[in-house]
Amino acid sequence: MPIAIEKLSPHVGARITLDPARISDPAMTEALRRAFADHGVLLFPRIGTSPDIHVALSRCFGTLQVHPVNRNQVEGFPEVVDMSYTPPRRPGDLSYHAVYRIEGRELAGWLPWHFDLSYMAEINHGSMLRALEVPPEGGRTGFMDRIRLYELLPDDLKRRIEGLDVVYRFQPDMMKRRYCRPADMALVAPSMKAGMFDGDVLDRDFPPVAHPMVYTDRDSGRKVLNVAPLFAVGIVGMDDPEGDALLGAVIDHCCTADFAYFHRWAVGDMIIWDNWRALHSAEGVAPHHPRRMQRTSLAGDYGLGRVLGKV
């Protein structure tokens, strides 16, 4: 075998060992694609910090998206996006990331469980994240396998959500989001993005969309619990307490940490995840600690989302 595969955690992912010099080998590409289909989340520990190897390894899994905003691209690598957190230089300066107080800790770059672009009708196939500078504490990324989440869902909930769709709506203000907001959460410092999205912009550029709560994975034939707690606002056709309670029960199941793997990054680590199958979250970092990360994204769409218009 051109790669070595180990289980990453009881419920999600695999750890991959390979020779970077053989990334262009067709046999390695085939083995990597099989591993991706089997596990949904792949860790490549300390494989390198170069964007060259990042792009080459990412291309083993499919066509890459070019980020539309030039200022987010890494120079010379339009497929690579900078996802770093840099502490403000002076008190009062705004960072790209908001700072929140959660359970007595101040955190920048915190994000609850989600799959990327849930608020859009089209959802890209995946992303690969690379660590360049890591904080001395915090900064972990969490992953959950939604195939495993469906398998562990109580039979009563499986029966009740079959054929239903979740409504998602982009909401940049974390304090206004309906689910996955800790009861004691408080805004300490807004991000530099605050104020960019007023109500008219949200209505025009981000109309509500719907995605099925369950769908069948085309590679494995297994069912996926297709629910992202972040940006979820309700169930189509169930705008009532019963619908709210049903979605809340499913989200409570999704947010159970017992099903999750939390990766503590080392410089040079890379992780790729299937956005059609995995949930991920960002633990956040102390506001005074930098965290340098870069990301590529796999193009594609699973074809099941739709725009709802006003609801």
Side-chain angles (χ1 to χ4, degrees):
M1 283 286 289
I3 62 175
I5 304 173
E6 302 174 71
K7 193 75 173 174
L8 189 58
S9 78
H11 295 292
V12 58
R15 179 183 290 102
I16 304 295
T17 304
L18 53 77
D19 179 358
R22 293 187 60 193
I23 286 177
S24 60
D25 184 340
M28 179 174 287
T29 297
E30 177 61 26
L32 287 172
R33 291 191 175 190
R34 286 199 305 268
F36 191 50
D38 289 342
H39 299 283
V41 176
L42 303 180
L43 164 66
F44 301 87
R46 300 179 185 267
I47 193 171
T49 58
S50 164
D52 296 274
I53 190 173
H54 189 171
V55 170
L57 186 57
S58 300
R59 284 179 174 156
C60 292
F61 300 93
T63 302
L64 301 187
Q65 289 181 334
V66 174
H67 198 278
V69 182
N70 289 339
R71 63 181 173 83
N72 290 343
Q73 295 174 0
V74 174
E75 185 175 357
F77 296 88
E79 309 94 339
V80 183
V81 179
D82 191 88
M83 303 288 292
S84 300
Y85 168 72
T86 302
R89 294 181 180 179
R90 297 178 299 273
D93 285 354
L94 294 181
S95 164
Y96 187 77
H97 298 278
V99 177
Y100 300 98
R101 183 177 294 107
I102 301 173
E103 297 180 353
R105 300 169 60 208
E106 291 190 1
L107 296 171
W110 176 84
L111 278 176
W113 293 106
H114 63 287
F115 54 81
D116 291 329
L117 300 178
S118 60
Y119 52 86
M120 304 294 288
E122 295 185 3
I123 296 178
N124 70 292
H125 193 183
S127 295
M128 179 177 281
L129 199 59
R130 171 170 51 99
L132 295 172
E133 181 179 0
V134 299
E137 59 182 7
R140 296 183 305 169
T141 302
F143 296 95
M144 282 194 281
D145 185 347
R146 287 183 275 144
I147 290 177
R148 186 64 175 146
L149 284 177
Y150 182 82
E151 292 171 349
L152 296 170
L153 190 69
D155 289 340
D156 175 61
L157 286 180
K158 287 180 182 176
R159 183 172 61 253
R160 293 175 64 194
I161 67 175
E162 190 70 35
L164 297 180
D165 296 328
V166 176
V167 181
Y168 296 94
R169 186 75 183 270
F170 178 62
Q171 174 51 262
D173 187 343
M174 189 76 72
M175 302 302 296
K176 294 181 180 178
R177 290 168 182 164
R178 188 166 191 179
Y179 298 100
C180 283
R181 182 163 62 88
D184 67 341
M185 181 176 172
L187 179 65
V188 175
S191 77
M192 62 189 300
K193 298 180 292 181
M196 292 174 57
F197 301 99
D198 60 24
D200 291 339
V201 170
L202 290 175
D203 287 339
R204 182 188 69 237
D205 296 344
F206 300 99
V209 301
H211 292 279
M213 295 186 81
V214 179
Y215 81 94
T216 301
D217 176 57
R218 65 187 65 171
D219 290 324
S220 66
R222 293 179 289 176
K223 289 190 174 182
V224 178
L225 182 58
N226 194 40
V227 175
L230 180 60
F231 299 123
V233 297
I235 295 176
V236 175
M238 296 184 69
D239 187 17
D240 53 30
E242 181 183 359
D244 294 343
L246 178 57
L247 181 56
V250 175
I251 286 176
D252 286 346
H253 173 78
C254 291
C255 292
T256 300
D258 288 347
F259 305 151
Y261 167 74
F262 290 92
H263 185 65
R264 187 172 299 282
W265 293 90
V267 172
D269 285 354
M270 296 189 203
I271 294 181
I272 188 168
W273 66 91
D274 184 342
N275 195 44
W276 301 344
R277 170 177 172 177
L279 288 176
H280 61 285
S281 66
E283 181 182 44
V285 298
H288 55 281
H289 286 316
R291 180 179 185 262
R292 292 185 60 215
M293 310 291 289
Q294 293 180 353
R295 188 182 76 181
T296 55
S297 294
L298 298 177
D301 177 36
Y302 79 153
L304 300 175
R306 69 186 194 277
V307 176
L308 292 175
K310 291 186 177 182
V311 295

